[in-house]
Every structure is written in C-alpha cells, then in structure tokens.
Amino acid sequence: MHSIRRHTVHMSSLKERIQADLTEAMKAGKEQEIVKSTLRMALAAVMNAEVAGDEAVALSDDQVMTVLLAEAKKRSESAEIYEKAGRTDAAAKERSE
C-alpha cells in the first residue's frame, strides 16, 4: 500500500507577508527604496495598532487591511495638502508610497 502524504499548507498572515516582502526589498538594494519605505510604514502602522489599547493583540488579516486602508487614506490626504501648498515633490513622494 502506498501511504498518502498530506501536506499542510501554511497560509501566511498579511503581516507576515509584509515582513517577507520587506526582507526581499532590503536584499534588492537601492532600486527598491520606495518599496522599502512603504513596507516599513505599513509594518509600523500594523505594529502600532497591535499595541494600542490596554494589552497587545495580534490583528486578524481583516484588521490589518483596515489599518492599511487608513494609512493609505492618510497618505492621499497628505499628498493633497502638499499639492495645494505647492510642494509637488512631497506630494509625489506621498502618492508613490
């Protein structure tokens, strides 16, 4: 008889995926500066959300996505403010991140 091997596929969490992507971007070097900056910002926002409140918690993927969407909205609003102030370089940076 042949035994059937069952492979357990570990689905990484969204936070783990961000961490892995950051590691890869760091290995890639200078050409990935915007990617590294963006992933660092995203990871910091998630980690801050995890420790906000009375005790630290691990966020679900849905909660991580909510944090990331809020960060994206902040970046978009910042870019608009920079643009209105004539700071197109800062606005472009915010939009790229």
Side-chain angles (χ1 to χ4, degrees):
M1 280 186 103
H2 293 111
S3 66
I4 298 174
R5 282 186 164 177
R6 293 186 178 233
H7 295 285
T8 304
V9 177
H10 179 261
M11 292 294 291
S12 63
S13 71
L14 189 51
K15 179 183 173 188
E16 289 169 337
R17 183 67 199 163
I18 294 168
Q19 290 171 323
D21 288 349
L22 177 57
T23 300
E24 288 300 313
M26 291 174 74
K27 290 178 184 177
K30 279 219 175 250
E31 66 269 6
Q32 295 290 316
E33 284 302 318
I34 291 176
V35 174
K36 287 189 280 190
S37 173
T38 302
L39 292 171
R40 281 187 185 116
M41 176 274 307
L43 194 54
V46 170
M47 292 171 72
N48 286 338
E50 287 179 332
V51 298
D54 293 335
E55 66 181 61
V57 296
L59 300 180
S60 70
D61 281 354
D62 287 341
Q63 291 169 316
V64 170
M65 186 58 71
T66 300
V67 169
L68 295 177
L69 289 172
E71 286 299 311
K73 183 178 178 187
K74 286 182 202 175
R75 293 289 179 154
S76 178
E77 290 170 352
S78 294
E80 288 177 25
I81 291 168
Y82 284 136
E83 215 162 76
K84 288 178 184 176
R87 299 199 45 211
T88 55
D89 57 327
K93 183 177 186 293
E94 289 292 324
R95 291 192 197 285
S96 67
E97 290 182 342

